[in-house]
């Protein structure tokens, strides 16, 4: 036995990064990627001093009820809708995320989805793989131009701004709606103009969602919002499932009230609304916007940095840099 604090890592990640914990902690890393039941999470958290978890790990009051030693939960994501922050704060447990290190990779992937939807790439590839391409037809597979079209962004945090900056190369005017308007200097850097939500929905040719999932933003895009959008518009969601009413979106796409969509996130994922699977005007992606080797390694490193700092180690000793609830200190 050891008197070192104990850290549980809920999924296999980058061993060389996790090894930075070894001098200071007794570390247990799950060998397989899986989803734990509430009772399994509670059992694994019991007796731990810290945990590094992912979006599949939903942690609230029940899961920490028996975790008397637990002082920190480091979430391997920017969003933290999988964690009941109020419950953990009430228990004096610090929670951190991985803000900043994935902005650029997510922004890059957003544009991959946007361009893929505009040019019907995934449907065209399926058609080709199925052996249908016998000759090139001049008017086959016509898509939408991007250059000069209006990019709308709902949620203008760090990721939203990174997405907006890339629009300059496509000559796209950018409009955005955010709960708090950006400072003028940031708007100039993004070449972006603040509008209200209804104007955003009416004017955007490509509407990108880049806002967190909260009780206030759940179904922020539903049937009423979709009805305001142009029939030629396209919706891109790289934020969280639940921000969009997937059933309403599927109906709008099926009835061609919306030209297309590209989705990296879904309500109830990994399940996908079955109606979306039948449509050829939506690009579907399995929540991988941040999935580059460099970014996922950096996310792991940030989680490790926060755990080390919480227990008095490293350059941020005593001051975890990504705390979501600093009041617990």
């Amino acid at each position: 036995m050891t008197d070192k604090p104990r850290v549980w890592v809920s999924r296999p990640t980058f061993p060389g990064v996790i090894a930075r914990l070894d001098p200071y902690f007794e570390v247990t890393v799950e060998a397989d990627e899986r989803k734990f039941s509430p009772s399994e999470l509670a059992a694994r958290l019991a007796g731990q001093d810290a945990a590094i978890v992912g979006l599949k790990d939903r942690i609230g009051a029940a899961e920490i009820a028996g975790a008397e030693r637990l002082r920190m939960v480091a979430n391997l994501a920017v969003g933290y809708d999988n964690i009941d922050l109020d419950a953990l704060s009430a228990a004096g447990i610090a929670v951190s995320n991985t803000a900043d290190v994935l902005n650029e990779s997510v922004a890059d992937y957003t544009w991959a989805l946007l361009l893929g939807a505009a040019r019907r790439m995934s449907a065209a590839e399926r058609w080709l793989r199925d052996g249908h391409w016998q000759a090139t037809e001049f008017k086959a597979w016509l898509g939408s131009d991007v250059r000069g079209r209006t990019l709308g962004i709902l949620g203008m945090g760090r990721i939203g701004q990174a997405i907006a900056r890339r629009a300059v190369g496509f000559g796209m005017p950018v409009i955005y709606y955010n709960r708090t308007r950006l400072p003028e200097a940031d708007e100039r850097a993004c070449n972006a103009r603040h509008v209200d939500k209804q104007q955003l929905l009416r004017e955007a040719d490509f509407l990108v969602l880049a806002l967190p999932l909260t009780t206030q933003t759940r179904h922020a895009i539903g049937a009423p919002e979709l009805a305001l959008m142009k029939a030629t518009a396209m919706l891109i969601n790289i934020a969280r499932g639940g921000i969009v009413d997937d059933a309403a979106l599927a109906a709008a796409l099926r009835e061609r009230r919306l030209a297309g969509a590209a989705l990296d996130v879904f309500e109830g994922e990994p399940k996908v609304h079955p109606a979306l699977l039948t449509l050829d005007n939506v690009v579907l992606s399995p929540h991988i916007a941040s999935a580059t080797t460099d970014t996922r390694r950096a996310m792991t490193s940030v989680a490790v940095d926060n755990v080390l700092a919480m227990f008095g180690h490293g350059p941020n000793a005593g001051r975890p840099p990504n705390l979501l609830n600093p009041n617990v200190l």
Side-chain angles (χ1 to χ4, degrees):
M1 295 296 290
T2 176
D3 58 359
K4 291 181 179 179
R6 301 170 187 166
V7 180
W8 175 61
V9 184
S10 72
R11 55 181 51 189
T13 175
F14 294 86
V17 179
I18 295 297
R20 292 169 48 211
L21 296 169
D22 291 342
Y24 310 103
F25 301 93
E26 179 185 340
V27 182
T28 301
V29 181
E30 294 291 334
D32 300 307
E33 184 87 27
R34 54 166 295 197
K35 184 173 182 177
F36 297 99
S37 69
S39 60
E40 288 173 327
L41 279 173
R44 280 164 170 77
L45 292 172
Q48 299 295 325
D49 297 274
I52 296 176
V53 303
L55 289 175
K56 290 197 293 285
D57 306 313
R58 307 197 69 82
I59 299 174
E63 288 74 21
I64 63 171
E68 298 179 356
R69 296 174 50 161
L70 192 63
R71 292 178 56 195
M72 172 133 211
V73 172
N75 204 37
L76 284 167
V78 174
Y80 49 93
D81 44 287
N82 57 310
I83 293 176
D84 186 337
L85 190 61
D86 290 338
L88 269 67
S89 297
I93 299 169
V95 179
S96 67
N97 68 352
T98 59
D100 276 345
V101 296
L102 49 73
N103 302 342
E104 304 303 324
S105 61
V106 171
D108 286 347
Y109 195 73
T110 301
W111 279 94
L113 289 173
L114 188 155
L115 292 168
R119 300 301 297 270
R120 305 174 64 192
M121 288 178 65
S122 62
E125 183 189 11
R126 290 193 300 272
W127 183 82
L128 182 150
R129 287 179 181 272
D130 288 342
H132 298 303
W133 191 27
Q134 305 301 323
T136 299
E137 299 178 18
F138 186 69
K139 294 184 69 176
W141 293 105
L142 299 181
S144 301
D145 282 323
V146 170
R147 175 167 294 278
R149 300 297 197 270
T150 297
L151 175 66
I153 301 177
L154 181 58
M156 199 64 153
R158 298 180 183 93
I159 293 174
Q161 292 174 52
I163 293 166
R165 288 194 297 271
R166 285 155 171 78
V168 174
F170 292 95
M172 298 178 76
V174 179
I175 57 177
Y176 77 96
Y177 173 72
N178 202 50
R179 185 175 55 183
T180 303
R181 183 172 178 173
L182 296 179
E184 287 186 16
D186 291 339
E187 287 188 341
R188 286 195 300 271
C190 297
N191 192 33
R193 176 169 58 91
H194 186 265
V195 297
D196 64 34
K197 185 179 177 182
Q198 286 201 341
Q199 185 177 355
L200 180 80
L201 295 168
R202 288 194 303 266
E203 294 186 7
D205 294 301
F206 296 90
L207 178 62
V208 174
L209 308 183
L211 66 168
L213 177 62
T214 66
T215 54
Q216 290 75 35
T217 63
R218 182 170 293 280
H219 284 190
I221 301 296
E225 290 76 20
L226 293 166
L228 292 175
M229 296 179 67
K230 301 175 184 179
T232 55
M234 296 188 178
L235 178 73
I236 296 90
N237 187 9
I238 50 82
R240 280 291 184 272
I243 290 173
V244 177
D245 181 339
D246 284 353
L249 174 61
L253 291 167
R254 183 177 62 250
E255 297 163 13
R256 304 291 170 169
R257 291 182 282 109
L258 194 69
L263 310 174
D264 187 48
V265 290
F266 306 89
E267 289 189 275
E269 61 186 52
K271 294 180 180 179
V272 177
H273 195 289
L276 291 171
L277 297 172
T278 68
L279 300 170
D280 65 0
N281 56 344
V282 56
V283 177
L284 306 175
S285 169
H287 203 150
I288 57 172
S290 67
T292 70
T293 301
D294 290 344
T295 295
R296 291 284 170 90
R297 182 182 284 114
M299 292 167 68
T300 305
S301 186
V302 167
V304 168
D305 287 343
N306 279 277
V307 172
L308 287 169
M310 186 67 189
F311 289 83
H313 308 293
N316 298 300
R319 296 172 289 104
N322 297 81
L323 274 195
L324 298 168
N325 54 349
N327 54 298
V328 300
L329 298 182

